[in-house]
Amino acid sequence: YQVLVSSAKLKQYNLTLEAVDRALENANLNATGSFFNRYGSEVLISILGRAKNLEDLQHTVVANREGLPVLLHQVAEVRFGAAVKRGDAGVNARPAVILTVEKQPGANTVTLTDDIEKALTEVQPALPHDVRINAQVFQQKNFIVHALTNVEHALRDGFILVVIVLFLFLLNFRTTIITLTAIPLSLVVTALVFRWFDISINTLTLGGLAIAVGELVDDAIVDVENVFRRLRENREAGSPKPALQVIYDASSEVRNSIVYATIIVVLVFLPLFQLQGIEGRIFAPLGIAYITSILASMVVSLTVTPALCSYLLGGTNLPGFKNLEGLKPERESALVTWLKKQDLKLLNFGLARPHVVISVAAALVLGSAVVATRFGTEFLPPFNEGSFTVNLYAPPGTSLEESNKIGTVAEKLILRIPDVQYTARRTGRAELDEHVEPVSNSEIDVALRDDARPRTEVVADIRRELAKLAGATVSIGQPISHRLDHLLSGVRAQVAIKIFGEDLDDLRALAGQVKSVAETVPGAVDVQVERQVLVPQLTIRLDRDALQRYGMQTGEVAGDLEVLFGGKVISQILDGQKTFDLVLRAVPEDRENLENIRKTQIHTP
């Protein structure tokens, strides 16, 4: 609800803006009147004075002149109106409404996305015939599914490599089977622990399992190999002991070593849980998954592995299997035999020349220290999210209409690239948005086709097309990593150089010098200086001497001008379950024209 007043009409009826303000407040109030007694019961008294529609507001009495009431519609235009527009949007260079759906903490993103898509499909028939819903603009589900698929492939490939390595070294089908049982059993125990403690299976927890998959068989290998060796020695001895006794003794020999080794590995990962902020939220699930699976593998190696050894290696009758007592012990594989011979040669060489060994080891340590200084120091590796976020910065002070045109042109340029499936643009952001932006800034989400070229090639084409926009600055990132960069450094870039000082002109000059140097660094793209510039503004300076002659206060005049040009929320109009602000401001022709602003009339005493 908008009440648009004219300073000329206020003068005509000799009214102040404060009188209109007060009249609107009084016209939209409810009150209470305590209660009264009726037939022994207390009846509450409620006084309903709220306006219900435009007609109620239009006939609000503002003042009395010569015995006649002055109604609100005589001095102001009362109408429905929209809030000040501070943003716009488009999809594939056509006008659109971008709706962002945020999930509750702990909700499953993939499942929730599927449910939302079903709900949107049900809503579509109720929409006008020319309105279509595009639910594929940006979905975190796609990145999550892609990441989970990659981790699942890593788990699969790791398991296959473990099988190959075990068989090459053991060359024994039964010992390989015993050892490999540690992997599925450890993963099952880990999954049960996750279920008990309500920990989700996500990219990070699966990543922890992928890291641990090669180590899940370590404890079992130690146990099986020692049992296998002791059984072979026992069978070759003159008076062999019972197989179960040999297995028990062999497992007991390595039990302490297995436990201590596992504890040491777990201690290495404990510092992950001391990380704070975003680092802790990211790496803690990975550490939980790794530690849980390692501890599960230790339990399996101390319980299940000896039992399986007694059945498959010790000759105990296993239900459904042939008695294995009469089988001959397998020999070591050719690979292990060859490696032992080479190891023996290397040991003889090293023990005979200790100074050479120590010198080579020291040189390797120094070399590794030098190489370590050249490692990357990124907090997270670069993601491949399958989509891009293009930030378009027009000169500060650019109007929403002009920014909208620039953004539409940018979308059309991006859509020329055959790998682009669609674009979704948001120009400006409202003050209640999670990322408030001026109307001069646009953010374009770019989704790629499944058969798109490599990411670097597509980004290069986008930069080449957007270079045609003169005067606009472009920055290209990815949706999730783009927001992580914003959280970590406060700016939407992977690398941010901050210069501190008191003089803005000096800071601008230094920033320009830094930009010139940064642009020469190989691999640096989208180098830009954050725009700290003055925006166009109309300044109204109050003449205190003139105000004094008229007996006026600067605060009153400034307050009236703020209401006229900026607007003021006086109250709320209740319409069923909906609430609308009641806004008082000047008519458009009085606040959008420089000459009319100069001629604004102020009520004097």
Side-chain angles (χ1 to χ4, degrees), residues 41 65 92 121 191 195 238 299 318 362 449 464 471 479 494 532:
S41 300
R65 294 293 181 265
N92 287 343
T121 302
R195 181 65 179 269
V299 174
L318 183 64
R449 302 184 185 277
R464 183 170 57 254
Q494 290 179 319
Q532 301 286 348

Side-chain angles (χ1 to χ4, degrees), residues 330-376:
E330 290 81 356
R331 298 182 179 274
E332 290 182 339
S333 68
L335 177 61
V336 174
T337 303
W338 181 82
L339 288 174
K340 284 187 175 181
K341 290 180 180 179
Q342 305 308 314
D343 183 45
L344 185 60
K345 294 178 183 179
L346 188 61
L347 285 174
N348 291 331
F349 176 84
L351 293 174
R353 300 169 181 82
H355 297 293
V356 176
V357 174
I358 294 175
S359 300
V360 172
L364 290 175
V365 171
L366 292 175
S368 62
V370 173
V371 173
T373 60
R374 306 183 65 83
F375 283 167

Side-chain angles (χ1 to χ4, degrees), residues 139-417:
Q139 292 186 357
Q140 286 187 353
K141 166 192 168 182
N142 297 332
F143 175 62
I144 293 172
V145 171
H146 182 67
L148 287 175
T149 303
N150 288 340
V151 177
E152 289 169 0
H153 290 170
L155 275 169
R156 178 201 62 194
D157 297 343
F159 182 80
I160 294 173
L161 288 174
V162 169
V163 172
I164 294 173
V165 172
L166 284 177
F167 194 76
L168 285 176
F169 277 83
L170 297 178
L171 201 59
N172 185 313
F173 180 75
R174 286 176 289 165
T175 54
T176 303
I177 290 297
I178 294 172
T179 305
L180 288 179
T181 55
I183 295 180
L185 288 177
S186 300
L187 296 180
V188 168
V189 172
T190 303
L192 291 175
V193 172
F194 281 12
R195 181 65 179 269
W196 291 334
F197 291 96
D198 198 22
I199 301 174
S200 65
I201 301 294
N202 52 48
T203 309
L204 294 167
T205 52
L206 283 179
L209 297 179
I211 296 173
V213 69
E215 299 180 52
L216 296 181
V217 295
D218 286 357
D219 295 344
I221 285 177
V222 174
D223 201 356
V224 171
E225 196 277 335
N226 196 53
V227 169
F228 187 74
R229 181 172 62 89
R230 293 301 187 189
L231 283 174
R232 186 170 61 241
E233 293 175 352
N234 183 61
R235 287 171 180 174
E236 294 174 354
S239 55
K241 300 178 182 179
L244 285 178
Q245 181 64 40
V246 175
I247 293 172
Y248 176 80
D249 294 338
S251 297
S252 300
E253 286 178 356
V254 296
R255 183 168 300 165
N256 290 339
S257 301
I258 291 174
V259 173
Y260 291 147
T262 304
I263 292 176
I264 291 172
V265 173
V266 170
L267 290 176
V268 170
F269 272 77
L270 287 182
L272 284 179
F273 300 103
Q274 301 302 317
L275 294 176
Q276 302 296 318
I278 188 171
E279 298 92 337
R281 297 296 298 272
I282 286 179
F283 288 116
L286 185 146
I288 291 173
Y290 183 91
I291 291 175
T292 304
S293 60
I294 291 296
L295 292 176
S297 72
M298 180 190 69
V299 174
V300 170
S301 69
L302 297 179
T303 56
V304 179
T305 300
L308 287 176
C309 288
S310 69
Y311 281 114
L312 296 180
L313 300 180
T316 305
N317 286 327
L318 183 64
F321 286 82
K322 181 182 177 181
N323 193 311
L324 303 173
E325 180 67 33
L327 292 180
K328 295 181 180 180
E330 290 81 356
R331 298 182 179 274
E332 290 182 339
S333 68
L335 177 61
V336 174
T337 303
W338 181 82
L339 288 174
K340 284 187 175 181
K341 290 180 180 179
Q342 305 308 314
D343 183 45
L344 185 60
K345 294 178 183 179
L346 188 61
L347 285 174
N348 291 331
F349 176 84
L351 293 174
R353 300 169 181 82
H355 297 293
V356 176
V357 174
I358 294 175
S359 300
V360 172
L364 290 175
V365 171
L366 292 175
S368 62
V370 173
V371 173
T373 60
R374 306 183 65 83
F375 283 167
T377 56
E378 285 183 307
F379 167 59
L380 289 174
F383 294 146
N384 183 9
E385 303 177 28
S387 58
F388 298 106
T389 295
V390 179
N391 290 285
L392 199 65
Y393 306 103
T398 303
S399 65
L400 177 60
E401 292 76 13
E402 190 64 25
S403 293
N404 203 25
K405 294 178 182 177
I406 296 173
T408 302
V409 172
E411 284 189 274
K412 293 179 179 178
L413 293 173
I414 295 174
L415 288 171
R416 290 181 181 179
I417 302 171

